[in-house]
Amino acid sequence: LKFILAMFIGYVGGHIALNYKLTHIQEIRKAAPRYEWQKPPVIIMCYKDFQKGQLYRAIKYWENNGEQIGPVIIDPPKTLCDVKRIAGAITIRKAPESLLKGNAVAIAQRHFKFSEHIHSAVVHFSERSLGLDLVVEHEIGHALGFNHVEIKGNVMHPQWEHMGPKFFPVSS
């Protein structure tokens, strides 16, 4: 009887712990739904004054967190930068002030075309964003498919003052 009771308690305890873990993972997934690229996106730098070091730091950040990113084109021809949306690419552009609302210093826009996969993305940065910590990582995160996460210290937190270097991977 003791053996059966111990087995029952172990099963129930394990079941409760497993349920807690699954519930916690589901809560994180709800906090950060994920969109996907069909293949790793190319990054095209169409903002001449952008600090390349910040871009490479952001790319390394996301690669260290398991993301795949295609080649980076630093000095593309003007004709390429004139294209509004480039299939399979994240395009970095200087933001017109009219695009940014309130205190926003950057904005990422994802585009879809007849699919649940991201077709293209454009990230607009203002001059004010160029020295701010984690802004490039945050916006590239949006372009890669991540949404905001309301957890302080997470790179995808919607408020800059609550962002941090942490990232909690979320699978779709």
Side-chain angles (χ1 to χ4, degrees):
L1 183 63
K2 287 182 181 179
F3 176 74
I4 293 171
L5 185 58
M7 291 289 288
F8 177 73
I9 290 172
Y11 170 76
V12 170
H15 183 69
I16 290 170
L18 181 62
N19 251 359
Y20 170 77
K21 187 174 181 179
L22 289 175
T23 302
H24 183 65
I25 290 170
Q26 289 168 345
E27 286 173 12
I28 291 173
R29 284 183 179 163
K30 284 181 196 168
R34 171 76 198 273
Y35 299 98
E36 302 273 339
W37 287 83
Q38 211 160 15
K39 60 183 183 177
V42 172
I43 296 183
I44 302 172
M45 176 57 73
C46 292
Y47 185 172
K48 297 288 183 204
D49 296 330
F50 197 88
Q51 297 172 5
K52 287 21 167 213
Q54 280 188 297
L55 176 63
Y56 286 117
R57 187 185 71 210
I59 290 169
K60 185 175 181 177
Y61 175 86
W62 285 109
E63 288 177 337
N64 287 342
N65 280 290
E67 293 302 307
Q68 293 184 341
I69 297 172
V72 178
I73 303 171
I74 292 297
D75 291 314
K78 183 182 178 326
T79 53
L80 185 60
C81 288
D82 288 343
V83 178
K84 188 174 178 180
R85 297 178 186 162
I86 303 168
I90 298 171
T91 308
I92 308 293
R93 300 185 186 280
K94 183 174 182 177
E97 290 301 319
S98 62
L99 182 64
L100 302 174
K101 308 292 183 223
N103 292 329
V105 294
I107 187 170
Q109 300 167 317
R110 294 181 293 245
H111 307 104
F112 300 83
K113 191 172 189 176
F114 312 117
S115 163
E116 72 276 2
H117 292 104
I118 301 170
H119 176 262
S120 63
V122 179
V123 184
H124 295 274
F125 289 97
S126 72
E127 289 180 15
R128 297 176 292 145
S129 71
L130 297 183
L132 296 175
D133 231 13
L134 300 173
V135 170
V136 179
E137 289 84 345
H138 178 91
E139 296 303 330
I140 295 294
H142 283 311
L144 289 171
F146 293 98
N147 288 329
H148 286 140
V149 176
E150 294 277 346
I151 300 172
K152 285 186 180 180
N154 190 301
V155 74
M156 295 310 297
H157 196 284
Q159 296 174 330
W160 179 76
E161 58 273 7
H162 296 300
M163 278 184 217
K166 296 177 188 169
F167 174 68
F168 310 113
V170 180
S171 52
S172 49

